[in-house]
Amino acid sequence: MNSDKYFIDYHKIMYHPEILARWISSFNNWNVAKKIYPIYVEISPSGTCNHRCRFCAFDYLGYNKGFADFFNLKKAIKDMKKGGVKSISLSGEGEPLLHPQIKELILYIHSLKIDVALTTNGTYLKKELVQDILPALTWIKVSLDAGLPKTHFKIHRPAKEEFLEILENLKIAAEIRKKIKARCTLGGQLLLLEENYLEIEILAKKLKEIGFDYLAIKPYSQHLKSINREYANIKYKKYLYLEKKVRKLNDKKFKVIFRKHTFEKLFEKRPYKICHAVPFFWVHLATNGDVYSCGNFIGDERFKLGNYNEKSFKEIWEGEKRKKHWEFMEKKFTTSQCRENCRMDEINRYLDRLKNPPSHVNFI
């Protein structure tokens, strides 16, 4: 039985048939395409981080000290709401909780009836903040990547050892959720590495005891621009046995989601050549205000659509630059340039079958 009830390892685009229908009708039709707004948006509120993770995909951006402009970001989000954006994840280049107005940002997004979620390293997930933002969040995912303090310090490289403090933060968050009866899902994440594969069970048991809902285990994927190459050649076949082992920890309240399908895709050739999802279903807003059609190409001018500090999001999304980018993605770009197991991979597999259906599809 599949323990991934959150469909973390799969796409969920089939739950948006009205948008899929518009996407199909947008082939070679910019007037339709320009009105298809993203379902999901990823925003980087902070360009700085208190950790220096050895696997960080965004190390090439230099950990700048900037924060997203709160006023202009709010205007961009309002435009997104009008366009039909359904969800926003606060994560990205740095630690989002470092933004001085992160609470106000979360509450603002929620007030617009947009689903909002948070990915964090957990350091600043303090009681005073949690009790205010928990009712507004759909989920919180905490990147932990270890089961023991020394391993966490070795992988995440904070200024001081803080693993136990983070676990205490998570315990308090779970207690607050129970007390106020918030519906926010609480999850942990471990990026499977040679240093931590023996600690999956340790971390899972700790999160289970704390009162979290799940621990997701995912593989490393080398970012093409990342300076770090330490894990570029990691071999995952020898770790697949862990899936059955950690399954024993599952019960009605807690799941270990070993993303086996995502691991297995690393051993196969990508079955599509065109990225159908970009520039439609996902967009990334960088800390400096730049809007990118794909979060894997931050800093790449080919994917930069504009800057929300200079133009409204509506002008950017429906503008001439996105039209040229739409044409570029259709005619000149191939997925041979893409990161393995990118966020849009499962969606692209599904869209490719829709755009290039096999014979006999009418015999259902």
Side-chain angles (χ1 to χ4, degrees), residues 189-214:
Q189 180 171 275
L190 182 142
L191 185 68
L192 187 59
L193 304 170
E194 294 171 348
E195 293 90 342
N196 65 16
Y197 79 97
L198 292 175
E199 297 180 18
I200 293 176
E201 290 181 271
I202 297 171
L203 178 59
K205 288 176 180 177
K206 286 178 178 178
L207 292 181
K208 186 175 183 178
E209 183 180 352
I210 283 170
F212 263 46
D213 300 301
Y214 71 84

Side-chain angles (χ1 to χ4, degrees), residues 215-236:
L215 170 65
I217 315 297
K218 74 172 189 176
Y220 174 81
S221 173
Q222 180 65 51
H223 192 289
L224 301 181
K225 287 178 174 279
S226 180
I227 298 169
N228 165 56
R229 300 275 159 177
E230 184 177 355
Y231 301 109
N233 299 312
I234 188 169
K235 306 298 181 185
Y236 276 115

Side-chain angles (χ1 to χ4, degrees), residues 30-249:
W30 170 245
N31 288 328
V32 175
K34 72 177 183 179
K35 293 292 186 179
I36 301 176
Y37 275 61
I39 296 172
Y40 166 71
V41 176
E42 194 169 89
I43 295 176
S44 293
S46 169
T48 190
C49 191
N50 59 309
H51 289 187
R52 291 293 182 270
C53 300
R54 286 163 61 186
F55 56 77
C56 181
F58 295 119
D59 57 357
Y60 71 96
L61 295 174
Y63 303 106
N64 72 75
K65 302 295 183 183
F67 298 110
D69 184 281
F70 183 57
F71 178 75
N72 289 330
L73 181 54
K74 282 175 65 178
K75 289 199 300 182
I77 293 168
K78 192 173 183 179
D79 267 0
M80 292 177 197
K81 172 62 179 179
K82 290 177 181 177
V85 167
K86 297 181 182 297
S87 67
I88 291 176
S89 171
L90 302 172
S91 54
E93 301 157 53
E95 168 52 49
L97 293 184
L98 283 170
H99 193 288
Q101 292 164 295
I102 191 65
K103 180 178 81 171
E104 291 81 2
L105 180 60
I106 290 170
L107 297 180
Y108 177 72
I109 297 170
H110 178 66
S111 74
L112 296 179
K113 294 183 169 52
I114 298 175
D115 292 343
V116 56
L118 172 70
T119 298
T120 174
N121 60 38
T123 306
Y124 303 102
L125 204 61
K126 300 298 184 181
K127 180 179 180 180
E128 297 76 19
L129 176 66
V130 170
Q131 59 192 10
D132 289 333
I133 65 173
L134 209 59
L137 290 164
T138 301
W139 51 260
I140 297 174
K141 182 168 61 181
V142 185
S143 297
L144 293 158
D145 306 299
L148 297 171
K150 287 185 179 180
T151 309
H152 180 268
F153 184 75
K154 181 180 179 182
I155 294 173
H156 273 241
R157 299 189 298 190
K160 63 180 180 65
E161 199 170 280
E162 57 186 23
F163 184 67
L164 296 180
E165 292 177 29
I166 292 171
L167 289 181
E168 183 62 25
N169 290 345
L170 306 192
K171 180 182 177 183
I172 292 170
E175 290 171 350
I176 291 173
R177 179 180 67 167
K178 185 176 181 180
K179 181 179 179 180
I180 66 176
K181 298 181 180 178
R183 299 180 66 182
C184 178
T185 299
L186 300 176
Q189 180 171 275
L190 182 142
L191 185 68
L192 187 59
L193 304 170
E194 294 171 348
E195 293 90 342
N196 65 16
Y197 79 97
L198 292 175
E199 297 180 18
I200 293 176
E201 290 181 271
I202 297 171
L203 178 59
K205 288 176 180 177
K206 286 178 178 178
L207 292 181
K208 186 175 183 178
E209 183 180 352
I210 283 170
F212 263 46
D213 300 301
Y214 71 84
L215 170 65
I217 315 297
K218 74 172 189 176
Y220 174 81
S221 173
Q222 180 65 51
H223 192 289
L224 301 181
K225 287 178 174 279
S226 180
I227 298 169
N228 165 56
R229 300 275 159 177
E230 184 177 355
Y231 301 109
N233 299 312
I234 188 169
K235 306 298 181 185
Y236 276 115
K237 284 188 177 179
K238 61 183 178 181
Y239 297 119
L240 295 184
Y241 76 95
L242 292 166
E243 192 264 339
K244 289 184 179 179
K245 190 174 182 181
V246 299
R247 196 189 300 165
K248 298 174 184 177
L249 296 170

Side-chain angles (χ1 to χ4, degrees), residues 40 272 275 277-278 281-282 342-349:
Y40 166 71
Y272 55 90
C275 179
V278 172
F281 304 111
W282 176 34
C342 82
R343 183 71 59 82
M344 294 293 110
D345 179 66
E346 280 299 313
I347 290 175
N348 271 318
R349 290 168 184 254

